[in-house]
């Protein structure tokens, strides 16, 4: 499946109108690939990849852009530094920085001004949800409190205290119980009334279903949709993001104001 993602991503970068490795910060990891919408842009979507905060990069995920671009959505696929060279909290702040950059600069790439939607998968779903807990004016006084207009988290992780119990992952991620609580959406309040949509494949392991139910309960005030993806596992679930006929794709259109 990763080989297919690589092939499809290479094709996407070759044929789409895109700007690659655009810096949103000063470090080499703080870059994004931006794919312009076909025709007039009706929305701006930031996509955050997964990899348990310790693996993969944006280049592998260009394949999420073509169908969205065709639907009139400008897509930014973002990179971030990986554990163990950084902490999860550092990655969260990189995503805050990337969001602020897109809010300020998206219009330069034809995207609608002042409207940003975020989608993330797995660890990226965790990072996307964390952005709904951000008090943006405290990060920078020129930013509005509702900088992110909505989030779709696919197979996300919301209680990171569970990661502390998994040595094969936490050996790189290096979370303590206290640090995990600080970066867990399940223990934070949403900062605005921006909607959260979640999705999970029916063939994923039970842990992801438990996490999905947990955030729906803890964030019931803003949780607006729970999308079941029949026959999908933790990786094939991303195929639904690329399928204009799928409920996951329809969720993106709804969140971006289509």
């Amino acid at each position: 499946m990763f080989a297919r993602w690589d092939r499809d991503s290479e094709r996407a970068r070759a044929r789409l109108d895109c700007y690659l490795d655009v810096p949103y910060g000063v470090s080499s990891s703080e870059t994004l690939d931006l794919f312009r919408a076909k025709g007039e842009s009706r929305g701006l979507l930031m996509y955050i990849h997964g990899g348990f905060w310790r693996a993969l990069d944006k280049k592998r995920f260009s394949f999420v852009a073509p169908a969205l671009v065709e639907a009139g959505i400008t897509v930014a696929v973002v990179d971030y530094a990986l554990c163990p060279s950084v902490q999860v909290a550092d990655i969260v702040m990189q995503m805050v920085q990337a969001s602020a950059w897109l809010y300020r600069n998206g219009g330069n790439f034809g995207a609608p001004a002042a409207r940003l939607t975020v989608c993330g998968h797995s660890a990226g779903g965790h990072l996307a949800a964390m952005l709904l807990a951000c008090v943006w004016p405290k990060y920078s006084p020129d930013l509005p409190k509702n900088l992110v207009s909505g989030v779709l988290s696919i197979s996300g992780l919301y209680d990171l205290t569970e990661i502390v119990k998994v040595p094969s992952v936490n050996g790189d991620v290096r979370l303590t119980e206290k640090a995990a609580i600080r970066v867990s959406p399940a223990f934070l309040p949403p900062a605005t009334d921006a909607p959260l949509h979640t999705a999970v494949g029916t063939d994923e392991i039970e842990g992801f279903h438990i996490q999905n139910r947990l955030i729906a309960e803890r964030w019931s005030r803003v949780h607006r949709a729970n999308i079941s993806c029949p026959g999908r596992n933790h990786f094939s679930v991303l195929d639904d993001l690329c399928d204009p006929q799928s409920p996951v794709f329809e969720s993106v259109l709804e969140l971006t104001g289509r």
Side-chain angles (χ1 to χ4, degrees), residues 3-85:
R4 173 165 62 86
W5 287 358
D6 288 343
R7 289 194 301 269
D8 291 348
S9 291
E10 186 175 352
R11 292 190 190 105
R13 292 190 299 273
R15 72 178 184 85
L16 297 180
D17 184 3
C18 58
Y19 303 84
L20 304 178
D21 299 318
V22 179
Y24 67 81
V26 297
S27 80
S28 60
S29 64
E30 293 170 345
T31 62
L32 57 86
D33 294 340
L34 199 142
F35 300 86
R36 292 189 68 134
K38 183 177 180 179
E40 180 184 358
S41 179
R42 296 173 174 85
L44 173 59
L45 180 77
M46 181 170 82
Y47 179 79
I48 310 174
H49 71 80
F52 275 116
W53 309 278
R54 61 180 185 162
L56 308 181
D57 59 45
K58 64 178 172 56
K59 188 176 180 181
R60 175 161 273 160
F61 295 92
S62 305
F63 74 88
V64 304
L68 293 165
V69 164
E70 190 71 24
I73 298 171
T74 302
V75 179
V77 183
V78 295
D79 236 349
Y80 50 84
L82 300 174
C83 300
S85 64

Side-chain angles (χ1 to χ4, degrees), residues 155-175:
S155 309
L157 298 135
Y158 312 105
D159 175 3
L160 270 59
T161 63
E162 295 298 319
I163 299 298
V164 179
K165 306 171 187 175
V166 185
S168 62
V169 176
N170 205 41
D172 288 330
V173 176
R174 297 176 297 148
L175 283 170

Side-chain angles (χ1 to χ4, degrees), residues 188-205:
L188 296 169
T192 70
D193 59 357
L196 169 68
H197 292 189
T198 58
V200 66
T202 59
D203 291 356
E204 301 201 48
I205 63 173

Side-chain angles (χ1 to χ4, degrees), residues 27-157:
S27 80
S28 60
S29 64
E30 293 170 345
T31 62
L32 57 86
D33 294 340
L34 199 142
F35 300 86
R36 292 189 68 134
K38 183 177 180 179
E40 180 184 358
S41 179
R42 296 173 174 85
L44 173 59
L45 180 77
M46 181 170 82
Y47 179 79
I48 310 174
H49 71 80
F52 275 116
W53 309 278
R54 61 180 185 162
L56 308 181
D57 59 45
K58 64 178 172 56
K59 188 176 180 181
R60 175 161 273 160
F61 295 92
S62 305
F63 74 88
V64 304
L68 293 165
V69 164
E70 190 71 24
I73 298 171
T74 302
V75 179
V77 183
V78 295
D79 236 349
Y80 50 84
L82 300 174
C83 300
S85 64
V86 296
Q87 302 285 331
V88 173
D90 299 320
I91 302 173
V92 171
M93 293 312 299
Q94 285 185 311
M95 295 302 92
V96 168
Q97 186 174 357
S99 301
W101 189 93
L102 284 168
Y103 178 85
R104 294 170 176 138
N105 296 282
N108 295 329
F109 301 90
R115 194 167 80 231
L116 175 65
T117 304
V118 181
C119 174
H121 169 244
S122 195
H126 156 262
L127 295 166
M130 284 294 290
L131 296 175
L132 288 183
C134 182
V135 182
W136 295 99
K138 287 190 176 182
Y139 174 70
S140 181
D142 68 305
L143 299 176
K145 66 177 184 179
N146 59 342
L147 184 145
V148 173
S149 61
V151 162
L152 169 61
S153 177
I154 303 172
S155 309
L157 298 135

